[in-house]
Amino acid sequence: MSAMAAPVILAADSGPTILAADSGLGGLTILAEIRKALPQARLAYLCDNAFFPYGTRPDASLLAHFLDVMERAIRRVQPDLIVTACNTISTICLPQLRAATSIPVVGVVPAIKPAAQQSRRKIIGLLATPATINRPYTDALIQRYAADCTVLKIGSAELVEIAEAKLLGRAADRARVRGILAPFFDRPADAQPDVIVLACTHFPLLRIELQSVGPADTTWIDSGTAVARRVVEVLPPPRASALAADLALTSAACEETMRHALAQFGLAAIETLPT
Ligand code: DGL
């Protein structure tokens, strides 16, 4: 990936342009929080549907693919800031992506620190993709912020599929969700996690189904508001946007159901990513 030069045209009244990216539709949960925090921002969303799901891909091919697809998205959008709206990719790509571009990059990584702070029982549940669960980055977060906690881990690619399908119009099967979460809740009450980290940006799409499976006093934490706060903190002064309107880029053809889902998040203009 070559270094990407930033255009320098200034427009005093233009809002910032932010590019968020994920394998599919999950990163829209992050985009929605950014929109709340920065209503004046021009938002672009890369839905890398050609490579969905990320969570079962080997690290090396996923990283090479992501750097390539991001280079093309950055060229099209010319953002002021990039958000890797995906735990699976953020936990492997940040050093390489930051080396490849001068544009600031905000990652989305498992919210282990607030979970450890909020857990009274000192038992945390970590719900993520199989890739995120096994990453050294995730282990380092646990050692640094949750050394005093027991961390129960579930890595589920199936839950990602259920979340993506829900946004595409297929109702989530609660019995399947219950089965996936059984390792958290099929144990004595005092051995269950009281705080669960939604360490995949798809999972807030299933918040209602997830909450229905665990005890009512379980706390479910995702990274959305913290990421939006971080975006506001590190945003550089905006340049003139390359975009006429908010834009979704897909890496493969976009079906009608996906168009509908993107529109629900304010993304009516959709393009296939140029090669
Ligand atoms: N939404 C992504 C995450 O936060 C991953 C989904 C996938 O496996 O593609 O990890």
Side-chain angles (χ1 to χ4, degrees):
M1 187 176 182
S2 56
M4 284 162 278
V8 284
I9 320 150
L10 287 165
D13 58 347
S14 70
T17 300
I18 296 168
L19 169 63
D22 187 19
S23 59
L25 300 169
L28 292 170
T29 62
I30 300 291
L31 193 88
E33 294 299 333
I34 296 171
R35 197 185 282 290
K36 272 191 239 162
L38 285 169
Q40 76 281 22
R42 183 69 42 88
L43 300 179
Y45 183 72
L46 170 62
C47 168
D48 188 9
N49 53 338
F51 225 63
F52 175 86
Y54 282 174
T56 52
R57 303 264 181 196
D59 289 6
S61 59
L62 174 58
L63 181 58
H65 165 84
F66 187 71
L67 294 175
D68 171 64
V69 86
M70 283 303 283
E71 181 177 24
R72 291 186 281 135
I74 291 166
R75 210 185 306 130
R76 169 66 185 93
V77 171
Q78 298 176 29
D80 296 298
L81 184 137
I82 296 162
V83 181
T84 51
C86 168
N87 294 258
T88 305
I89 199 66
S90 299
T91 47
I92 49 166
C93 83
L94 294 176
Q96 293 87 341
L97 186 58
R98 287 181 176 136
T101 178
S102 57
I103 301 166
V105 178
V106 173
V108 177
V109 299
I112 303 284
K113 185 180 176 185
Q117 287 166 344
Q118 289 179 43
S119 175
R120 289 177 315 278
R121 214 174 279 150
K122 295 296 167 201
I123 306 174
I124 298 170
L126 180 62
L127 190 59
T129 64
T132 300
I133 286 291
N134 291 315
R135 290 260 151 78
Y137 192 109
T138 305
D139 287 340
L141 284 177
I142 292 170
Q143 270 163 28
R144 182 158 180 204
Y145 296 116
D148 60 340
C149 296
T150 300
V151 181
L152 305 175
K153 301 175 183 174
I154 297 176
S156 175
E158 190 185 359
L159 205 58
V160 175
E161 300 278 356
I162 295 171
E164 183 88 0
K166 179 182 173 187
L167 205 48
L168 293 173
R170 264 165 283 143
D173 178 342
R174 288 193 191 203
R176 277 173 78 197
V177 174
R178 185 171 299 111
I180 292 165
L181 267 67
F184 287 161
F185 299 122
D186 284 0
R187 50 177 59 231
D190 64 355
Q192 294 177 8
D194 57 349
V195 178
I196 295 178
V197 182
L198 301 181
C200 169
T201 55
H202 277 76
F203 296 163
L205 297 169
L206 294 173
R207 194 180 297 278
I208 292 168
E209 291 81 357
L210 292 167
Q211 284 174 345
S212 75
V213 161
D217 60 354
T218 307
T219 301
W220 304 81
I221 297 187
D222 66 73
S223 306
T225 50
V227 169
R229 256 199 319 273
R230 185 72 190 141
V231 165
V232 172
E233 276 167 20
V234 303
L235 199 57
R239 291 166 288 121
S241 179
L243 301 182
D246 291 356
L247 177 69
L249 292 167
T250 61
S251 55
C254 183
E255 308 281 323
E256 196 45 47
T257 48
M258 187 169 273
R259 285 183 184 279
H260 182 71
L262 290 164
Q264 284 177 48
F265 286 81
L267 298 165
I270 303 169
E271 287 176 17
T272 305
L273 186 64
T275 47

